Amino acid sequence: MNHEQTLRHLRRANAVAQRAASLGRHPFGALLVAPDGETVLAEQGNIDTVHHAEATLARTASLNYSRDYLWDCTLVTTFEPCAMCTATAYWANIGHIVYGASEEALLELTGNSDENPTLSLPCRQVLAAGQKPITVEGPFAALIAELVEPHRGFWHSPTP
C-alpha cells in the first residue's frame, strides 16, 4: 500500500472503531486489505475482551482465503495489535500489519482498566520470535489524535 492508501484505510478502521463504541464495545477497528492495497476484504470492530477486532478478523480470513493469498494481504488496525492478535495474524499467515497508534498510547488511555489490562509486549517483539518475515508499519503520528478520540471518556479506572 502507498502512504495515501494506508492513511485512508486507517481512517476507515477508525470509523469501524467508532461503530464498535456506539454499540458499547471497546473502540477498536480492523480491516483486511487485499494485495492490491485498495480493496477492503473485511472489517471488524471489537466484540469483547477476548474477541478483539484483529484476532476475530484474522480467524475469519483464515477460513475464507488461502494462506498464500493472505500472505500478500494487510491487516490494518487502529492500535498496535496485542500479543494475542499479533499471534493470530501470524498463524493466519497475514504477511503485513499496519497500525495507527502504539501500545504505549493505548496504555495512556486505558490506565488500569479491568476492561483492557494492556500487555507491554510490542507486536514487533512477538513477531521476532516467529519464523516468518511479517512486515509491520506504525505508528502513524499524523493520525494519532484522530485514532485516540473514540477512546476519550470510554475507559474508566476502577475506584481504589
Side-chain angles (χ1 to χ4, degrees), residues 118-148:
T118 303
L119 288 170
S120 182
L121 185 57
C123 68
R124 285 176 175 92
Q125 188 175 342
V126 173
L127 293 170
Q131 299 177 10
K132 302 176 193 180
I134 294 173
T135 61
V136 177
E137 293 181 68
F140 286 82
L143 293 184
I144 291 175
E146 288 178 50
L147 299 173
V148 302

mmCIF file of all heavy atoms in Angstrom, residues 118-148:
data_model
loop_
_atom_site.group_PDB
_atom_site.id
_atom_site.type_symbol
_atom_site.label_atom_id
_atom_site.label_comp_id
_atom_site.label_asym_id
_atom_site.label_seq_id
_atom_site.Cartn_x
_atom_site.Cartn_y
_atom_site.Cartn_z
ATOM 1 N N THR A 118 -3.687 -3.800 29.509
ATOM 2 C CA THR A 118 -2.725 -3.784 28.405
ATOM 3 C C THR A 118 -1.436 -4.527 28.744
ATOM 4 O O THR A 118 -0.851 -4.320 29.802
ATOM 5 C CB THR A 118 -2.404 -2.315 28.039
ATOM 6 O OG1 THR A 118 -3.628 -1.655 27.725
ATOM 7 C CG2 THR A 118 -1.483 -2.231 26.853
ATOM 8 N N LEU A 119 -1.011 -5.385 27.830
ATOM 9 C CA LEU A 119 0.275 -6.078 27.955
ATOM 10 C C LEU A 119 1.364 -5.188 27.368
ATOM 11 O O LEU A 119 1.184 -4.624 26.296
ATOM 12 C CB LEU A 119 0.268 -7.389 27.167
ATOM 13 C CG LEU A 119 -0.556 -8.533 27.712
ATOM 14 C CD1 LEU A 119 -0.633 -9.647 26.672
ATOM 15 C CD2 LEU A 119 0.060 -9.059 28.983
ATOM 16 N N SER A 120 2.472 -5.090 28.027
ATOM 17 C CA SER A 120 3.595 -4.330 27.492
ATOM 18 C C SER A 120 4.466 -5.270 26.667
ATOM 19 O O SER A 120 5.540 -5.701 27.092
ATOM 20 C CB SER A 120 4.399 -3.689 28.635
ATOM 21 O OG SER A 120 5.455 -2.923 28.085
ATOM 22 N N LEU A 121 3.964 -5.619 25.485
ATOM 23 C CA LEU A 121 4.657 -6.546 24.605
ATOM 24 C C LEU A 121 4.401 -6.111 23.164
ATOM 25 O O LEU A 121 3.391 -6.479 22.564
ATOM 26 C CB LEU A 121 4.156 -7.977 24.843
ATOM 27 C CG LEU A 121 4.866 -9.094 24.096
ATOM 28 C CD1 LEU A 121 6.366 -9.112 24.397
ATOM 29 C CD2 LEU A 121 4.241 -10.431 24.464
ATOM 30 N N PRO A 122 5.293 -5.307 22.609
ATOM 31 C CA PRO A 122 5.087 -4.789 21.255
ATOM 32 C C PRO A 122 4.944 -5.903 20.220
ATOM 33 O O PRO A 122 5.560 -6.964 20.335
ATOM 34 C CB PRO A 122 6.361 -3.969 20.996
ATOM 35 C CG PRO A 122 6.886 -3.645 22.359
ATOM 36 C CD PRO A 122 6.519 -4.815 23.220
ATOM 37 N N CYS A 123 4.148 -5.638 19.193
ATOM 38 C CA CYS A 123 3.887 -6.658 18.168
ATOM 39 C C CYS A 123 5.172 -7.057 17.448
ATOM 40 O O CYS A 123 5.340 -8.222 17.093
ATOM 41 C CB CYS A 123 2.816 -6.195 17.193
ATOM 42 S SG CYS A 123 3.254 -4.837 16.108
ATOM 43 N N ARG A 124 6.086 -6.132 17.257
ATOM 44 C CA ARG A 124 7.342 -6.480 16.590
ATOM 45 C C ARG A 124 8.145 -7.493 17.420
ATOM 46 O O ARG A 124 8.811 -8.356 16.872
ATOM 47 C CB ARG A 124 8.169 -5.229 16.340
ATOM 48 C CG ARG A 124 7.645 -4.365 15.198
ATOM 49 C CD ARG A 124 8.467 -3.083 15.056
ATOM 50 N NE ARG A 124 8.043 -2.307 13.906
ATOM 51 C CZ ARG A 124 7.129 -1.343 13.935
ATOM 52 N NH1 ARG A 124 6.524 -1.053 15.081
ATOM 53 N NH2 ARG A 124 6.818 -0.668 12.842
ATOM 54 N N GLN A 125 8.042 -7.388 18.722
ATOM 55 C CA GLN A 125 8.745 -8.340 19.596
ATOM 56 C C GLN A 125 8.107 -9.725 19.494
ATOM 57 O O GLN A 125 8.815 -10.738 19.458
ATOM 58 C CB GLN A 125 8.720 -7.835 21.036
ATOM 59 C CG GLN A 125 9.580 -8.638 21.971
ATOM 60 C CD GLN A 125 9.628 -8.014 23.370
ATOM 61 O OE1 GLN A 125 9.301 -6.844 23.558
ATOM 62 N NE2 GLN A 125 10.021 -8.810 24.342
ATOM 63 N N VAL A 126 6.789 -9.777 19.436
ATOM 64 C CA VAL A 126 6.098 -11.060 19.271
ATOM 65 C C VAL A 126 6.521 -11.696 17.946
ATOM 66 O O VAL A 126 6.882 -12.874 17.899
ATOM 67 C CB VAL A 126 4.560 -10.872 19.315
ATOM 68 C CG1 VAL A 126 3.834 -12.165 18.974
ATOM 69 C CG2 VAL A 126 4.118 -10.351 20.674
ATOM 70 N N LEU A 127 6.513 -10.920 16.883
ATOM 71 C CA LEU A 127 6.846 -11.444 15.561
ATOM 72 C C LEU A 127 8.317 -11.834 15.445
ATOM 73 O O LEU A 127 8.653 -12.760 14.698
ATOM 74 C CB LEU A 127 6.484 -10.427 14.487
ATOM 75 C CG LEU A 127 4.977 -10.185 14.327
ATOM 76 C CD1 LEU A 127 4.735 -8.995 13.421
ATOM 77 C CD2 LEU A 127 4.272 -11.429 13.837
ATOM 78 N N ALA A 128 9.182 -11.177 16.190
ATOM 79 C CA ALA A 128 10.612 -11.512 16.152
ATOM 80 C C ALA A 128 10.863 -12.926 16.668
ATOM 81 O O ALA A 128 11.869 -13.548 16.318
ATOM 82 C CB ALA A 128 11.413 -10.507 16.975
ATOM 83 N N ALA A 129 9.938 -13.454 17.467
ATOM 84 C CA ALA A 129 10.069 -14.818 17.988
ATOM 85 C C ALA A 129 9.581 -15.856 16.991
ATOM 86 O O ALA A 129 9.723 -17.053 17.232
ATOM 87 C CB ALA A 129 9.289 -14.948 19.300
ATOM 88 N N GLY A 130 9.028 -15.406 15.871
ATOM 89 C CA GLY A 130 8.493 -16.318 14.876
ATOM 90 C C GLY A 130 9.485 -16.636 13.770
ATOM 91 O O GLY A 130 10.651 -16.247 13.825
ATOM 92 N N GLN A 131 8.999 -17.328 12.770
ATOM 93 C CA GLN A 131 9.831 -17.785 11.664
ATOM 94 C C GLN A 131 9.443 -17.158 10.332
ATOM 95 O O GLN A 131 9.936 -17.584 9.295
ATOM 96 C CB GLN A 131 9.731 -19.316 11.549
ATOM 97 C CG GLN A 131 10.211 -20.034 12.770
ATOM 98 C CD GLN A 131 10.021 -21.546 12.653
ATOM 99 O OE1 GLN A 131 9.704 -22.063 11.595
ATOM 100 N NE2 GLN A 131 10.210 -22.235 13.761
ATOM 101 N N LYS A 132 8.570 -16.155 10.353
ATOM 102 C CA LYS A 132 8.093 -15.524 9.123
ATOM 103 C C LYS A 132 8.481 -14.050 9.126
ATOM 104 O O LYS A 132 8.364 -13.381 10.146
ATOM 105 C CB LYS A 132 6.570 -15.613 9.025
ATOM 106 C CG LYS A 132 6.008 -17.003 9.049
ATOM 107 C CD LYS A 132 4.490 -16.922 9.041
ATOM 108 C CE LYS A 132 3.848 -18.241 9.368
ATOM 109 N NZ LYS A 132 2.396 -18.135 9.360
ATOM 110 N N PRO A 133 8.861 -13.531 7.967
ATOM 111 C CA PRO A 133 9.227 -12.114 7.878
ATOM 112 C C PRO A 133 8.006 -11.205 7.661
ATOM 113 O O PRO A 133 7.857 -10.558 6.625
ATOM 114 C CB PRO A 133 10.176 -12.079 6.682
ATOM 115 C CG PRO A 133 9.640 -13.158 5.776
ATOM 116 C CD PRO A 133 9.152 -14.251 6.723
ATOM 117 N N ILE A 134 7.121 -11.156 8.637
ATOM 118 C CA ILE A 134 5.933 -10.306 8.537
ATOM 119 C C ILE A 134 6.378 -8.852 8.698
ATOM 120 O O ILE A 134 7.120 -8.523 9.618
ATOM 121 C CB ILE A 134 4.896 -10.698 9.604
ATOM 122 C CG1 ILE A 134 4.374 -12.116 9.294
ATOM 123 C CG2 ILE A 134 3.755 -9.688 9.671
ATOM 124 C CD1 ILE A 134 3.463 -12.697 10.351
ATOM 125 N N THR A 135 5.911 -7.994 7.789
ATOM 126 C CA THR A 135 6.282 -6.585 7.862
ATOM 127 C C THR A 135 5.276 -5.836 8.726
ATOM 128 O O THR A 135 4.082 -6.141 8.724
ATOM 129 C CB THR A 135 6.360 -5.938 6.474
ATOM 130 O OG1 THR A 135 5.080 -6.019 5.847
ATOM 131 C CG2 THR A 135 7.408 -6.617 5.604
ATOM 132 N N VAL A 136 5.794 -4.854 9.462
ATOM 133 C CA VAL A 136 4.963 -4.040 10.348
ATOM 134 C C VAL A 136 5.249 -2.572 10.068
ATOM 135 O O VAL A 136 6.416 -2.175 9.975
ATOM 136 C CB VAL A 136 5.255 -4.355 11.832
ATOM 137 C CG1 VAL A 136 4.429 -3.457 12.748
ATOM 138 C CG2 VAL A 136 4.994 -5.819 12.142
ATOM 139 N N GLU A 137 4.184 -1.786 9.953
ATOM 140 C CA GLU A 137 4.306 -0.341 9.829
ATOM 141 C C GLU A 137 3.463 0.306 10.911
ATOM 142 O O GLU A 137 2.331 -0.096 11.133
ATOM 143 C CB GLU A 137 3.816 0.145 8.475
ATOM 144 C CG GLU A 137 4.643 -0.274 7.291
ATOM 145 C CD GLU A 137 4.053 0.292 6.019
ATOM 146 O OE1 GLU A 137 4.090 1.533 5.847
ATOM 147 O OE2 GLU A 137 3.532 -0.511 5.226
ATOM 148 N N GLY A 138 3.998 1.296 11.551
ATOM 149 C CA GLY A 138 3.268 2.028 12.575
ATOM 150 C C GLY A 138 4.198 2.368 13.703
ATOM 151 O O GLY A 138 5.272 1.779 13.830
ATOM 152 N N PRO A 139 3.836 3.308 14.497
ATOM 153 C CA PRO A 139 2.618 4.121 14.455
ATOM 154 C C PRO A 139 2.711 5.240 13.414
ATOM 155 O O PRO A 139 3.780 5.522 12.876
ATOM 156 C CB PRO A 139 2.542 4.697 15.863
ATOM 157 C CG PRO A 139 3.958 4.778 16.326
ATOM 158 C CD PRO A 139 4.667 3.619 15.661
ATOM 159 N N PHE A 140 1.569 5.879 13.168
ATOM 160 C CA PHE A 140 1.466 6.990 12.221
ATOM 161 C C PHE A 140 1.100 8.242 13.012
ATOM 162 O O PHE A 140 -0.068 8.483 13.320
ATOM 163 C CB PHE A 140 0.424 6.687 11.138
ATOM 164 C CG PHE A 140 0.915 5.678 10.153
ATOM 165 C CD1 PHE A 140 0.850 4.320 10.438
ATOM 166 C CD2 PHE A 140 1.480 6.083 8.960
ATOM 167 C CE1 PHE A 140 1.331 3.375 9.540
ATOM 168 C CE2 PHE A 140 1.965 5.152 8.052
ATOM 169 C CZ PHE A 140 1.900 3.802 8.339
ATOM 170 N N ALA A 141 2.114 9.030 13.319
ATOM 171 C CA ALA A 141 1.966 10.202 14.184
ATOM 172 C C ALA A 141 0.890 11.165 13.683
ATOM 173 O O ALA A 141 0.172 11.774 14.490
ATOM 174 C CB ALA A 141 3.308 10.916 14.324
ATOM 175 N N ALA A 142 0.756 11.298 12.388
ATOM 176 C CA ALA A 142 -0.205 12.247 11.828
ATOM 177 C C ALA A 142 -1.653 11.899 12.168
ATOM 178 O O ALA A 142 -2.524 12.773 12.114
ATOM 179 C CB ALA A 142 -0.033 12.323 10.310
ATOM 180 N N LEU A 143 -1.919 10.656 12.521
ATOM 181 C CA LEU A 143 -3.301 10.227 12.783
ATOM 182 C C LEU A 143 -3.593 9.926 14.247
ATOM 183 O O LEU A 143 -4.741 9.630 14.583
ATOM 184 C CB LEU A 143 -3.627 8.977 11.957
ATOM 185 C CG LEU A 143 -3.685 9.144 10.450
ATOM 186 C CD1 LEU A 143 -4.106 7.827 9.803
ATOM 187 C CD2 LEU A 143 -4.644 10.247 10.050
ATOM 188 N N ILE A 144 -2.607 9.992 15.100
ATOM 189 C CA ILE A 144 -2.810 9.561 16.488
ATOM 190 C C ILE A 144 -3.950 10.318 17.150
ATOM 191 O O ILE A 144 -4.797 9.715 17.822
ATOM 192 C CB ILE A 144 -1.501 9.626 17.285
ATOM 193 C CG1 ILE A 144 -0.555 8.539 16.765
ATOM 194 C CG2 ILE A 144 -1.754 9.455 18.780
ATOM 195 C CD1 ILE A 144 0.820 8.550 17.368
ATOM 196 N N ALA A 145 -4.034 11.624 16.968
ATOM 197 C CA ALA A 145 -5.113 12.397 17.603
ATOM 198 C C ALA A 145 -6.485 11.885 17.161
ATOM 199 O O ALA A 145 -7.396 11.761 17.983
ATOM 200 C CB ALA A 145 -4.958 13.880 17.278
ATOM 201 N N GLU A 146 -6.633 11.557 15.879
ATOM 202 C CA GLU A 146 -7.907 11.024 15.382
ATOM 203 C C GLU A 146 -8.204 9.648 15.970
ATOM 204 O O GLU A 146 -9.343 9.338 16.316
ATOM 205 C CB GLU A 146 -7.869 10.875 13.863
ATOM 206 C CG GLU A 146 -7.906 12.154 13.082
ATOM 207 C CD GLU A 146 -7.804 11.896 11.585
ATOM 208 O OE1 GLU A 146 -8.576 11.044 11.066
ATOM 209 O OE2 GLU A 146 -6.956 12.526 10.938
ATOM 210 N N LEU A 147 -7.182 8.824 16.057
ATOM 211 C CA LEU A 147 -7.376 7.442 16.486
ATOM 212 C C LEU A 147 -7.666 7.323 17.976
ATOM 213 O O LEU A 147 -8.357 6.389 18.392
ATOM 214 C CB LEU A 147 -6.159 6.606 16.105
ATOM 215 C CG LEU A 147 -5.873 6.531 14.596
ATOM 216 C CD1 LEU A 147 -4.553 5.820 14.344
ATOM 217 C CD2 LEU A 147 -7.009 5.859 13.854
ATOM 218 N N VAL A 148 -7.155 8.226 18.776
ATOM 219 C CA VAL A 148 -7.424 8.150 20.215
ATOM 220 C C VAL A 148 -8.776 8.751 20.574
ATOM 221 O O VAL A 148 -9.317 8.457 21.641
ATOM 222 C CB VAL A 148 -6.306 8.809 21.064
ATOM 223 C CG1 VAL A 148 -4.972 8.167 20.800
ATOM 224 C CG2 VAL A 148 -6.244 10.295 20.871
#
